Amino acid sequence: MPYSSILEGEEREGTYACAGCGATHFDSDQKFHSGTGWPSFAGCANDNVEVEDVTKFRYQLSGAEARCRACGGHLGDVFADGYLFPGTPAFVTGRRYCIDGAALAFLPSGGGDGDGDGDGDDDGASYGVVMGDRPPVPVDKNRGGRWRFLG
């Protein structure tokens, strides 16, 4: 549901990781406010996000599904309408990753109470998705099929 993600208003520096497996997907410097109510990003931090391989026509009209390359979890959709957001990083990349906030965990940089539990430490991710000391899942870049990395 749009405007339901607390991550839409997150303004601190840090990274956004998969809530399912912990693979890093987005950096805060690529985040912008698209007016959709969902956290939006202009690009990925690495190639841990794969995008459904659709025709150029479909991509232009309705976007393509984005999911975690490591665990296959649905993240949201990517659209080719970044040019509609002048003054944002999306205007440069031409892309808007419209991501379901429940699919992400925010990991603030610089410490602090990043896990939101009020105890003053940074022992997990924000907003109830606890990553703890669990290592990220290795990324299988050879899965193939109808998925690709947009870059």
Side-chain angles (χ1 to χ4, degrees), residues 13 108-112 122:
E13 289 185 27
S109 59
D122 191 14

Side-chain angles (χ1 to χ4, degrees), residues 14-144:
T15 58
Y16 294 83
C18 178
C21 71
T24 302
H25 293 312
F26 304 100
D27 289 326
S28 58
D29 64 348
Q30 290 294 302
K31 186 174 184 277
F32 69 101
H33 295 286
S34 64
T36 61
W38 298 95
S40 295
F41 301 89
C44 304
N46 49 44
D47 63 351
N48 287 347
V49 175
E50 59 186 5
V51 177
E52 183 180 16
D53 194 9
V54 298
T55 66
K56 191 169 190 167
F57 180 74
R58 179 174 164 205
Y59 179 61
Q60 292 294 326
L61 289 178
S62 61
E65 182 186 7
R67 67 182 191 182
C68 177
R69 185 180 300 274
C71 71
H74 173 78
L75 296 173
D77 297 284
V78 60
F79 301 93
D81 62 359
Y83 63 90
L84 296 174
F85 303 95
T88 71
F91 188 77
V92 177
T93 66
R95 291 188 211 103
R96 172 176 55 98
Y97 288 81
C98 189
I99 305 299
D100 181 351
L104 297 176
F106 178 71
L107 304 165
S109 59
D113 188 35
D115 57 5
D117 63 5
D119 64 4
D121 64 10
D122 191 14
D123 56 3
S126 290
Y127 313 118
V129 182
V130 178
M131 303 306 285
D133 294 325
R134 183 176 61 187
V137 174
V139 175
D140 179 7
K141 297 178 182 174
N142 300 314
R143 191 155 78 204

